[in-house]
Amino acid sequence: MARPFRQQIDEGILDRAAALFARQGYAKTSLQDIADAVGLSKAGLLHHFPSKDALRDGVVAQVDTVARRVLEAVQHLPAGRERDRLAVAVVLDAALAHPGLVALLIAPVTRADGGTIAEDASPEAAVLEAFGVDPATTAPERIVRVIGALGALAVLTLAAEPDDQTTAWRAHVAATCFDALGHGRPAALPSSDQVEA
């Protein structure tokens, strides 16, 4: 199997596993649940990931990789309107491409049992940094606006996904997040093919 195709399949498996971990919790999600969700036999799933722990580790690594890509895409810009505009676009495209990871990241808020799969994973810090937020020194209003924008982005991308509205909703979600950041409507956000995440 060619490496790019294999990588695409593995990323899809990890995203589906992340969604199940978010919904059911890591302990209650079986390998068979994940295999069923991705349309593979259990043996076929184990060909890609040799254990449930390997799947969890892969999900954590994928979350970290996506968060790092977001930060790398915007860190060349100074804090302000243009960096926020690009950060919204990059985070939005990452969220639309990886809905399972989004569900997993907001699971601690939406699940009574916390829903976390790794104590040391902190993609939230990289995403906050993409918006120029340091929780220790940033003004409370800015922190609330950024967290509000990210919360709206997460909920709206997850709501768009089951109805296959991700393309139709993209500009509206971006505008809503930009509004939440206090900038009003942007002149134009980069299209999804202009940003990488």
Side-chain angles (χ1 to χ4, degrees), residues 60-102:
V60 170
Q62 188 177 35
V63 167
D64 184 57
T65 298
V66 169
R68 224 174 315 118
R69 284 183 194 152
V70 166
L71 182 56
E72 288 169 1
V74 301
Q75 65 187 4
H76 68 284
L77 293 172
R81 183 180 176 90
E82 285 308 305
R83 182 171 174 150
D84 283 354
R85 183 182 67 79
L86 182 57
V88 165
V90 173
V91 172
L92 177 55
D93 289 336
L96 291 171
H98 306 284
L101 298 183
V102 173

Side-chain angles (χ1 to χ4, degrees), residues 17-30:
L20 288 170
F21 295 156
R23 185 173 43 246
Q24 299 172 187
Y26 177 74
K28 292 181 182 176
T29 302
S30 69

Side-chain angles (χ1 to χ4, degrees), residues 3 13 33 36 51 54 60 62 89 137-138 146 148 159 170 179 186:
R3 186 68 195 143
I13 291 169
D33 293 336
D36 292 344
S51 68
V60 170
Q62 188 177 35
T137 60
T138 302
V146 169
R170 182 186 184 275
D179 283 348

